[in-house]
Each structure stands twice: as C-alpha cells, then as structure tokens.
Amino acid sequence: METIYKVALVIMFLVVVFNLGQALYYMMTDKDGSKRTAWALTRRIGLSIVLIAMIMLGIWMGWLQPHGVGR
C-alpha cells in the first residue's frame, strides 16, 4: 500500500507540473480573451490542494515518514 501511495503522489505531482506548463503555453499562445490560462491555473490550484491533503493523509496513516533535512 505504501508503494502504491507514493507512486500516486508522484503522478499527482507530475499532473500539477503539467498543468502549470499548460497554463504557460496558453498564456504565450492565446492572444485573444481566452480563459484557458485561468482554467489551467485553477486546475493546478485544486490539484495542489488535493496533493497536500494526500501528503497529510499519508503522514497521518503512517505511510509517509517525514524527516528533518540537514540533521
């Protein structure tokens, strides 16, 4: 279960990064009043919230072990 959960987190992170790149592309190519950039950024925000909630759930369930950096 832990491995599947970690893979799901990585996939979710990649989807968030993809949506950010998609918003950048739309921002650079759309010259008219298109709402594609706003929708891509809205999706990214929503997916980021889900990703943070998944990380919190994973820590709470014990599937993820946070560690101190630089200790």
Side-chain angles (χ1 to χ4, degrees), residues 18-68:
F18 173 77
N19 272 295
L20 185 61
Q22 193 176 31
L24 176 65
Y25 175 76
Y26 291 151
M27 184 175 63
M28 299 303 285
T29 59
D30 290 349
K31 299 300 179 195
D32 57 350
S34 177
K35 295 185 179 185
R36 295 193 309 176
T37 302
W39 278 111
L41 291 173
T42 302
R43 279 194 313 266
R44 184 190 65 87
I45 291 169
L47 291 170
S48 295
I49 291 170
V50 171
L51 179 64
I52 291 169
M54 286 176 66
I55 291 171
M56 291 172 51
L57 177 69
I59 292 171
W60 182 68
M61 296 294 288
W63 298 331
L64 299 174
Q65 301 297 322
H67 57 83

Side-chain angles (χ1 to χ4, degrees), residues 8-20:
L9 285 175
V10 169
I11 290 171
M12 187 64 128
F13 177 73
L14 292 175
V15 170
V16 168
V17 171
F18 173 77
N19 272 295
L20 185 61

